[in-house]
Amino acid sequence: MNILELREIVYSAAGREILAGLSFRIKVGEVHALLGTNGTGKSTLAHMIMGCQGYHPATGEISFNGFPINDLKIHERARLGISMAWQEPARFEGLLVRDYLTLGKTIEKPESALRLVGMEPSRYLGRMVDRSLSGGERKRIELASVLALQPKLAILDEPDSGIDMLSTDDIIRVLDRLRSGGSAVLLITHRDEIAEAADQASQICGGRIVCTGKPAQVAAVFKSRKCISCDGEVCNNE
Ligand code: ADP
Ligand code: MG
């Protein structure tokens, strides 16, 4: 059973085709890593699955739990159980960490969600979610907010640039918790060691999925091709 299925998605922005007939599936409860160099369409895909404004596909279908969701807005998709860790929780400035971690129908306690991302609850629950937190702390709190929700599908898009803020161990711990809570995860990452903690992996190139299989296989293909330019070749090891 697929929790998420995208079929032949085409999406253009500013006169450029960014997703070029992309097809992709994630099974219920599966951690699925998405590998791809910069500019291949990873974040565009993440925003489209979440239903962010301006990311409606020109053609193609997105279904969640077997139902088409193309026309659902972001909050409707959130209600169905799709959740995304944003790079910055700044839009919620003015909230305490405790309030931020109990927004919506949360399942995991804020204390335990914070511990899972390596933060001591007594030091953070009473802090404001604002610029007084470091970039790394905000990123961890973002992840904690996804953990607190235990969504049916969690979208984790690592930043394209800048210093990676969570250790491999932290991410693997978070993935294990999401998996044991029954969440499926779309994990966008550059790091092989993290991709290898996934159940399945896909490589995106030129706005299409060019390879799907076990993480170690896909990571090896990704590295060997270096993906400097897309040869359009499709390998599928499912
Ligand atoms: P990735 O996350 O894989 O690095 P993105 O999905 O952010 O890639 O972007 C894919 C390509 O689409 C990039 O070349 C980017 O510049 C371009 N792009 C993304 N959004 C827009 C937009 N709104 N207008 C024009 N080009 C865009
Ligand atoms: Mg990106």
Side-chain angles (χ1 to χ4, degrees):
M1 172 75 190
N2 297 316
I3 188 77
L4 179 76
E5 181 162 9
L6 289 95
R7 281 182 295 273
E8 298 290 322
I9 299 291
V10 175
Y11 171 78
S12 304
R16 254 197 66 208
E17 196 169 78
I18 295 168
L19 301 180
L22 179 145
S23 296
F24 179 58
R25 291 187 294 275
I26 301 180
K27 294 201 175 77
V28 172
E30 173 180 277
V31 176
H32 198 122
L34 183 66
L35 296 168
T37 48
N38 278 342
T40 47
K42 303 181 299 296
S43 295
T44 301
L45 175 61
H47 285 85
M48 180 176 287
I49 295 166
M50 193 65 240
C52 297
Q53 205 175 357
Y55 288 91
H56 199 271
T59 58
E61 192 172 304
I62 311 174
S63 35
F64 185 73
N65 245 340
F67 294 96
I69 58 164
N70 285 49
D71 296 329
L72 297 191
K73 298 210 163 55
I74 186 164
H75 63 275
E76 295 169 317
R77 296 187 196 196
R79 223 177 278 144
L80 289 180
I82 306 177
S83 179
M84 181 152 149
W86 308 90
Q87 291 193 4
E88 287 290 336
R91 68 200 188 288
F92 286 127
E93 276 187 22
L95 279 185
L96 291 174
V97 170
R98 176 188 298 283
D99 299 331
Y100 185 63
L101 295 180
T102 49
L103 285 174
K105 271 196 267 171
T106 51
I107 293 168
E108 189 91 44
K109 290 222 162 16
E111 288 81 0
S112 121
L114 281 175
R115 278 198 199 96
L116 280 161
V117 297
M119 300 177 97
E120 172 50 42
S122 62
R123 282 186 56 202
Y124 288 100
L125 284 171
R127 296 272 304 270
M128 301 299 285
V129 181
D130 62 15
R131 296 275 156 184
S132 70
L133 295 164
S134 73
E137 287 167 336
R138 291 199 300 275
K139 186 74 196 154
R140 279 169 194 270
I141 286 169
E142 263 301 280
L143 262 186
S145 76
V146 173
L147 278 165
L149 283 167
Q150 290 188 13
K152 293 202 175 70
L153 175 66
I155 303 169
L156 309 180
D157 187 3
E158 276 196 86
D160 287 332
S161 59
I163 303 153
D164 287 341
M165 297 188 179
L166 289 166
S167 69
T168 303
D169 286 351
D170 280 340
I171 295 201
I172 289 173
R173 192 169 46 194
V174 164
L175 294 177
D176 284 345
R177 184 66 194 91
L178 285 167
R179 201 189 264 116
S180 64
S183 300
V185 181
L186 171 59
L187 176 69
I188 300 173
T189 181
H190 288 290
R191 291 189 261 172
D192 288 350
E193 69 276 18
I194 291 169
E196 287 185 20
D199 305 309
Q200 194 78 351
S202 291
Q203 183 189 346
I204 183 171
C205 187
R208 287 184 308 125
I209 300 295
V210 294
C211 186
T212 293
K214 287 292 159 205
Q217 287 176 310
V218 176
V221 173
F222 179 53
K223 266 191 274 183
S224 69
R225 279 186 182 152
K226 300 224 170 25
C227 203
I228 291 163
S229 67
C230 182
D231 58 12
E233 183 195 334
V234 176
C235 77
N236 197 318
N237 299 314
E238 267 184 298

